[in-house]
Amino acid sequence: IEHIEIPTLLIRAELSRIMTPEAAADAVKSNPLVHATVIAGAHHHVPLECPDLLARAIAEFIVTLD
């Protein structure tokens, strides 16, 4: 992740046991281009569980890009 050279959105499901809060925080700390958001109440399969919240998170990220 530290080698990513473009703005990147890391989407973490709140209840995921795969992407822990600590891992997401480490990713953000390792690269200023990485931004994280959490989908509340979601498990690991965010696109299936919360497609509207996922779409909103992506849209909100996109408008921050120059």
Side-chain angles (χ1 to χ4, degrees):
I1 288 182
E2 63 270 4
H3 300 293
I4 291 174
E5 297 179 0
I6 60 171
T8 301
L9 178 61
L10 185 153
I11 297 173
R12 193 182 87 71
E14 177 185 28
L15 304 175
S16 176
R17 291 180 283 159
I18 297 170
M19 173 60 70
T20 64
E22 296 80 16
D26 288 346
V28 170
K29 288 178 192 172
S30 73
N31 188 325
L33 295 174
V34 176
H35 306 272
T37 191
V38 177
I39 304 297
H43 292 84
H44 186 68
H45 299 288
V46 175
L48 297 176
E49 295 177 44
C50 305
D52 293 341
L53 294 176
L54 175 61
R56 183 180 311 142
I58 293 169
E60 289 173 357
F61 175 70
I62 289 171
V63 299
T64 69
L65 303 176
D66 291 334

XYZ file of all heavy atoms in Angstrom:
500
model
N 0.825 -1.183 0.000
C 0.000 0.000 0.000
C 0.871 1.249 0.000
O 0.491 2.255 -0.566
C -0.971 -0.033 1.200
C -2.033 -1.084 0.929
C -1.570 1.329 1.461
C -3.091 -1.238 1.961
N 2.016 1.177 0.611
C 2.870 2.363 0.675
C 3.362 2.811 -0.695
O 3.787 3.941 -0.853
C 4.047 2.144 1.635
C 4.993 1.056 1.226
C 4.628 -0.314 1.772
O 3.588 -0.478 2.417
O 5.404 -1.246 1.525
N 3.250 1.970 -1.710
C 3.717 2.312 -3.052
C 2.609 2.825 -3.973
O 2.885 3.170 -5.117
C 4.401 1.100 -3.692
C 5.580 0.625 -2.898
N 6.734 1.368 -2.755
C 5.774 -0.492 -2.167
C 7.588 0.716 -1.994
N 7.023 -0.420 -1.612
N 1.391 2.887 -3.497
C 0.282 3.397 -4.311
C 0.548 4.865 -4.615
O 0.919 5.643 -3.742
C -1.059 3.214 -3.573
C -1.401 1.727 -3.480
C -2.171 3.992 -4.259
C -2.631 1.423 -2.650
N 0.352 5.240 -5.881
C 0.651 6.603 -6.312
C -0.577 7.393 -6.744
O -0.444 8.470 -7.322
C 1.669 6.559 -7.446
C 3.001 5.965 -6.997
C 4.018 5.895 -8.103
O 3.723 6.314 -9.247
O 5.129 5.408 -7.839
N -1.767 6.866 -6.474
C -3.000 7.574 -6.813
C -3.929 7.553 -5.603
O -3.822 6.665 -4.758
C -3.710 6.945 -8.037
C -4.065 5.481 -7.757
C -2.862 7.066 -9.301
C -4.936 4.843 -8.806
N -4.830 8.524 -5.515
C -5.773 8.495 -4.403
C -6.556 7.181 -4.393
O -7.041 6.717 -5.428
C -6.696 9.681 -4.685
C -5.877 10.595 -5.532
C -5.024 9.690 -6.371
N -6.664 6.596 -3.221
C -7.278 5.279 -3.079
C -8.221 5.277 -1.882
O -7.878 5.791 -0.815
C -6.177 4.216 -2.876
O -5.298 4.253 -4.008
C -6.755 2.830 -2.722
N -9.382 4.707 -2.086
C -10.345 4.591 -1.005
C -10.335 3.160 -0.490
O -10.605 2.222 -1.230
C -11.750 4.958 -1.494
C -12.875 4.828 -0.468
C -12.630 5.755 0.722
C -14.213 5.117 -1.117
N -10.041 3.013 0.772
C -10.099 1.716 1.432
C -11.448 1.654 2.147
O -11.730 2.483 3.007
C -8.950 1.601 2.439
C -8.778 0.267 3.132
C -7.327 0.087 3.538
C -9.677 0.103 4.312
N -12.267 0.718 1.742
C -13.592 0.571 2.333
C -13.564 -0.638 3.251
O -13.293 -1.748 2.817
C -14.662 0.413 1.238
C -14.690 1.681 0.393
C -16.024 0.114 1.854
C -15.571 1.607 -0.818
N -13.838 -0.384 4.517
C -13.819 -1.447 5.519
C -15.224 -1.691 6.046
O -15.955 -0.767 6.371
C -12.913 -1.064 6.687
C -12.595 -2.231 7.596
C -11.741 -1.829 8.765
N -12.536 -1.359 9.892
C -13.290 -2.151 10.649
N -13.358 -3.440 10.425
N -13.987 -1.647 11.645
N -15.603 -2.939 6.073
C -16.876 -3.319 6.677
C -16.690 -3.352 8.186
O -15.741 -3.962 8.696
C -17.324 -4.683 6.163
N -17.565 -2.698 8.888
C -17.429 -2.577 10.343
C -17.258 -3.921 11.040
O -16.463 -4.055 11.969
C -18.658 -1.871 10.917
C -18.639 -1.752 12.424
C -19.912 -1.173 12.984
O -20.989 -1.317 12.372
O -19.820 -0.587 14.067
N -17.972 -4.939 10.589
C -17.962 -6.234 11.264
C -17.037 -7.255 10.608
O -17.054 -8.433 10.963
C -19.396 -6.777 11.339
C -20.404 -5.836 12.015
C -21.809 -6.402 11.926
C -20.007 -5.534 13.444
N -16.226 -6.809 9.673
C -15.295 -7.714 8.996
C -14.222 -8.211 9.951
O -13.637 -7.433 10.702
C -14.621 -7.016 7.811
O -13.652 -7.871 7.230
N -13.972 -9.508 9.909
C -12.867 -10.072 10.682
C -11.611 -10.154 9.826
O -10.547 -10.504 10.320
C -13.255 -11.451 11.205
C -14.343 -11.359 12.270
C -14.741 -12.714 12.786
N -15.601 -13.330 11.766
C -15.832 -14.621 11.651
N -15.278 -15.469 12.485
N -16.633 -15.079 10.723
N -11.739 -9.837 8.536
C -10.601 -9.909 7.623
C -9.812 -8.599 7.619
O -8.596 -8.590 7.758
C -11.083 -10.284 6.204
C -11.701 -11.681 6.249
C -9.944 -10.197 5.192
C -12.432 -12.087 5.006
N -10.524 -7.481 7.458
C -9.883 -6.164 7.493
C -10.201 -5.541 8.852
O -11.278 -5.013 9.071
C -10.388 -5.278 6.358
C -9.911 -3.826 6.415
S -8.124 -3.562 6.343
C -7.798 -4.018 4.660
N -9.248 -5.619 9.750
C -9.458 -5.101 11.096
C -9.318 -3.577 11.113
O -8.696 -2.992 10.208
C -8.421 -5.696 12.065
O -7.114 -5.241 11.666
C -8.477 -7.217 12.087
N -9.841 -2.930 12.139
C -9.638 -1.480 12.245
C -8.150 -1.114 12.289
O -7.737 -0.107 11.706
C -10.317 -1.119 13.570
C -11.313 -2.195 13.804
C -10.715 -3.434 13.203
N -7.367 -1.938 12.949
C -5.931 -1.680 13.038
C -5.258 -1.775 11.667
O -4.392 -0.949 11.342
C -5.273 -2.659 14.020
C -5.747 -2.517 15.444
C -7.098 -3.202 15.732
O -7.558 -4.043 14.925
O -7.687 -2.872 16.764
N -5.649 -2.759 10.872
C -5.066 -2.911 9.539
C -5.431 -1.721 8.653
O -4.588 -1.220 7.901
C -5.535 -4.214 8.893
N -6.669 -1.274 8.748
C -7.088 -0.107 7.963
C -6.311 1.133 8.402
O -5.841 1.914 7.561
C -8.586 0.101 8.097
N -6.164 1.319 9.699
C -5.414 2.468 10.208
C -3.961 2.424 9.761
O -3.390 3.448 9.383
C -5.503 2.526 11.727
N -3.367 1.247 9.774
C -1.982 1.091 9.316
C -1.858 1.446 7.841
O -0.886 2.077 7.420
C -1.478 -0.330 9.552
C -1.228 -0.641 11.016
O -1.182 0.309 11.842
O -1.096 -1.841 11.335
N -2.841 1.046 7.038
C -2.816 1.357 5.608
C -2.866 2.861 5.386
O -2.111 3.411 4.573
C -3.982 0.672 4.893
N -3.734 3.526 6.123
C -3.858 4.981 5.992
C -2.572 5.678 6.439
O -2.102 6.614 5.795
C -5.078 5.490 6.791
C -5.102 7.004 6.872
C -6.369 4.971 6.165
N -1.983 5.200 7.523
C -0.744 5.796 8.028
C 0.423 5.598 7.069
O 1.342 6.411 7.027
C -0.382 5.200 9.387
C -1.266 5.658 10.507
C -0.854 4.966 11.805
C -1.881 5.177 12.881
N -1.597 4.374 14.088
N 0.383 4.511 6.303
C 1.515 4.183 5.434
C 1.547 4.985 4.138
O 2.564 4.997 3.454
C 1.520 2.690 5.105
O 0.487 2.387 4.182
N 0.452 5.663 3.825
C 0.401 6.388 2.549
C -0.638 7.504 2.642
O -1.809 7.233 2.881
C 0.044 5.421 1.418
C 0.154 6.036 0.052
O -0.126 7.204 -0.146
N 0.544 5.230 -0.921
N -0.225 8.756 2.422
C -1.178 9.861 2.516
C -2.239 9.855 1.411
O -3.222 10.595 1.508
C -0.288 11.104 2.419
C 0.943 10.652 1.730
C 1.125 9.200 2.115
N -2.069 9.048 0.404
C -3.067 8.958 -0.675
C -4.164 7.949 -0.377
O -5.129 7.837 -1.125
C -2.387 8.608 -2.002
C -1.430 9.661 -2.552
C -0.710 9.124 -3.783
C -2.166 10.947 -2.861
N -4.011 7.213 0.699
C -5.009 6.210 1.069
C -5.957 6.816 2.096
O -5.529 7.355 3.120
C -4.346 4.936 1.624
C -5.394 3.938 2.104
C -3.461 4.296 0.565
N -7.237 6.737 1.790
C -8.291 7.229 2.672
C -9.184 6.043 3.017
O -9.452 5.202 2.168
C -9.093 8.320 1.974
C -8.229 9.422 1.464
N -7.877 10.503 2.226
C -7.607 9.583 0.270
C -7.088 11.292 1.532
N -6.911 10.754 0.334
N -9.654 6.008 4.242
C -10.475 4.878 4.672
C -11.853 5.353 5.095
O -12.020 6.462 5.609
C -9.802 4.137 5.811
N -12.820 4.485 4.880
C -14.163 4.703 5.387
C -14.687 3.363 5.889
O -14.209 2.315 5.467
C -15.086 5.310 4.312
O -16.304 5.733 4.930
C -15.380 4.321 3.198
N -15.646 3.426 6.782
C -16.224 2.224 7.370
C -17.699 2.173 7.024
O -18.418 3.167 7.177
C -16.050 2.221 8.905
C -16.726 1.007 9.521
C -14.576 2.263 9.275
N -18.142 1.022 6.548
C -19.563 0.799 6.292
C -20.141 0.144 7.545
O -19.865 -1.023 7.847
C -19.791 -0.080 5.043
C -19.107 0.529 3.814
C -21.276 -0.291 4.816
C -19.610 1.874 3.379
N -20.921 0.931 8.290
C -21.467 0.478 9.566
C -22.412 -0.702 9.383
O -23.221 -0.734 8.456
C -22.202 1.627 10.253
N -22.260 -1.670 10.257
C -23.148 -2.822 10.283
C -22.884 -3.868 9.223
O -23.542 -4.904 9.201
N -21.917 -3.633 8.348
C -21.631 -4.580 7.265
C -20.602 -5.611 7.694
O -19.746 -5.356 8.543
C -21.113 -3.843 6.031
N -20.699 -6.796 7.098
C -19.691 -7.827 7.275
C -18.700 -7.685 6.119
O -18.513 -6.569 5.627
C -20.346 -9.206 7.327
C -21.183 -9.386 8.559
N -22.477 -8.941 8.632
C -20.892 -9.922 9.767
C -22.962 -9.208 9.832
N -22.019 -9.805 10.546
N -18.113 -8.733 5.655
C -17.058 -8.618 4.645
C -17.575 -8.343 3.235
O -16.869 -7.753 2.427
C -16.190 -9.881 4.652
C -15.015 -9.781 3.743
N -13.969 -8.918 3.999
C -14.730 -10.396 2.585
C -13.086 -9.028 3.017
N -13.505 -9.914 2.161
N -18.790 -8.705 2.913
C -19.294 -8.590 1.534
C -20.122 -7.326 1.359
O -21.322 -7.368 1.111
C -20.096 -9.841 1.162
C -19.274 -11.080 1.232
N -18.300 -11.368 0.307
C -19.241 -12.089 2.138
C -17.713 -12.506 0.627
N -18.259 -12.961 1.735
N -19.470 -6.175 1.453
C -20.148 -4.886 1.404
C -20.985 -4.705 0.138
O -22.130 -4.256 0.231
C -19.136 -3.732 1.569
C -19.803 -2.386 1.392
C -18.472 -3.818 2.937
N -20.499 -5.042 -1.057
C -21.329 -4.821 -2.250
C -22.648 -5.588 -2.227
O -23.647 -5.115 -2.774
C -20.445 -5.310 -3.408
C -19.059 -5.212 -2.886
C -19.163 -5.523 -1.406
N -22.663 -6.737 -1.582
C -23.894 -7.518 -1.506
C -24.784 -7.071 -0.351
O -26.007 -7.074 -0.461
C -23.561 -9.003 -1.337
C -22.796 -9.648 -2.489
C -22.440 -11.087 -2.140
C -23.596 -9.592 -3.772
N -24.162 -6.689 0.751
C -24.914 -6.345 1.959
C -25.436 -4.913 1.962
O -26.534 -4.658 2.445
C -24.030 -6.516 3.193
C -23.614 -7.940 3.464
C -22.676 -8.007 4.657
O -22.944 -7.348 5.673
O -21.655 -8.706 4.556
N -24.635 -3.999 1.457
C -24.959 -2.571 1.574
C -24.603 -1.813 0.292
O -23.786 -0.880 0.319
C -24.192 -1.958 2.737
S -24.431 -2.772 4.314
N -25.178 -2.190 -0.837
C -24.784 -1.529 -2.087
C -25.027 -0.022 -2.087
O -24.224 0.735 -2.655
C -25.602 -2.247 -3.152
C -26.741 -2.871 -2.417
C -26.220 -3.179 -1.037
N -26.092 0.435 -1.460
C -26.364 1.870 -1.438
C -25.334 2.628 -0.610
O -24.875 3.703 -1.010
C -27.770 2.145 -0.907
C -28.858 1.634 -1.838
O -28.562 1.395 -3.031
O -29.991 1.460 -1.368
N -24.974 2.075 0.540
C -23.955 2.718 1.367
C -22.592 2.699 0.687
O -21.826 3.666 0.778
C -23.874 2.048 2.737
C -25.103 2.187 3.628
C -24.917 1.386 4.913
C -25.395 3.639 3.929
N -22.292 1.630 0.001
C -21.038 1.536 -0.744
C -21.002 2.585 -1.844
O -20.010 3.306 -1.994
C -20.878 0.133 -1.343
C -19.672 -0.075 -2.243
C -18.377 0.151 -1.487
C -19.717 -1.472 -2.850
N -22.070 2.695 -2.600
C -22.142 3.686 -3.680
C -21.976 5.098 -3.127
O -21.272 5.930 -3.705
C -23.450 3.547 -4.439
N -22.613 5.365 -2.000
C -22.500 6.691 -1.393
C -21.060 6.977 -0.955
O -20.543 8.077 -1.180
C -23.438 6.818 -0.202
C -23.410 8.211 0.414
C -24.334 8.393 1.604
N -25.659 7.905 1.302
C -26.427 7.255 2.173
N -25.999 7.029 3.396
N -27.624 6.844 1.849
N -20.414 5.994 -0.357
C -19.022 6.176 0.085
C -18.108 6.461 -1.103
O -17.244 7.340 -1.032
C -18.543 4.946 0.847
N -18.311 5.747 -2.185
C -17.484 5.960 -3.376
C -17.755 7.340 -3.963
O -16.825 8.073 -4.313
C -17.728 4.846 -4.410
C -17.205 3.513 -3.863
C -17.055 5.193 -5.739
C -17.628 2.300 -4.681
N -19.021 7.719 -4.070
C -19.381 9.028 -4.619
C -18.788 10.157 -3.774
O -18.258 11.140 -4.314
C -20.893 9.158 -4.714
N -18.861 10.024 -2.449
C -18.300 11.043 -1.568
C -16.786 11.147 -1.721
O -16.219 12.245 -1.642
C -18.681 10.763 -0.117
C -20.152 11.005 0.154
C -20.597 10.563 1.549
O -19.768 9.993 2.317
O -21.777 10.773 1.850
N -16.134 10.033 -1.955
C -14.697 10.033 -2.177
C -14.351 10.702 -3.509
O -13.438 11.530 -3.583
C -14.142 8.608 -2.136
C -12.689 8.504 -2.474
C -11.727 8.997 -1.600
C -12.272 7.923 -3.650
C -10.377 8.892 -1.905
C -10.929 7.810 -3.968
C -9.976 8.303 -3.085
N -15.089 10.370 -4.535
C -14.814 10.904 -5.878
C -14.874 12.421 -5.900
O -14.036 13.064 -6.533
C -15.764 10.279 -6.918
C -15.377 8.814 -7.131
C -15.732 11.044 -8.235
C -16.357 8.028 -7.974
N -15.838 13.006 -5.208
C -15.951 14.469 -5.246
C -14.782 15.168 -4.526
O -14.595 16.368 -4.705
C -17.300 14.979 -4.696
C -18.453 14.439 -5.517
C -17.471 14.674 -3.240
N -14.015 14.423 -3.747
C -12.852 15.027 -3.087
C -11.621 15.069 -3.992
O -10.631 15.718 -3.650
C -12.471 14.259 -1.804
O -11.955 12.968 -2.146
C -13.654 14.157 -0.856
N -11.690 14.399 -5.116
C -10.537 14.317 -6.010
C -10.440 15.584 -6.872
O -11.443 16.129 -7.300
C -10.635 13.081 -6.896
C -10.753 11.749 -6.147
C -10.950 10.619 -7.130
C -9.544 11.524 -5.257
N -9.240 16.000 -7.137
C -9.033 17.178 -8.007
C -9.019 16.772 -9.452
O -8.576 15.797 -9.871
C -7.711 17.864 -7.662
C -7.759 18.517 -6.295
O -8.864 18.864 -5.852
O -6.679 18.682 -5.707
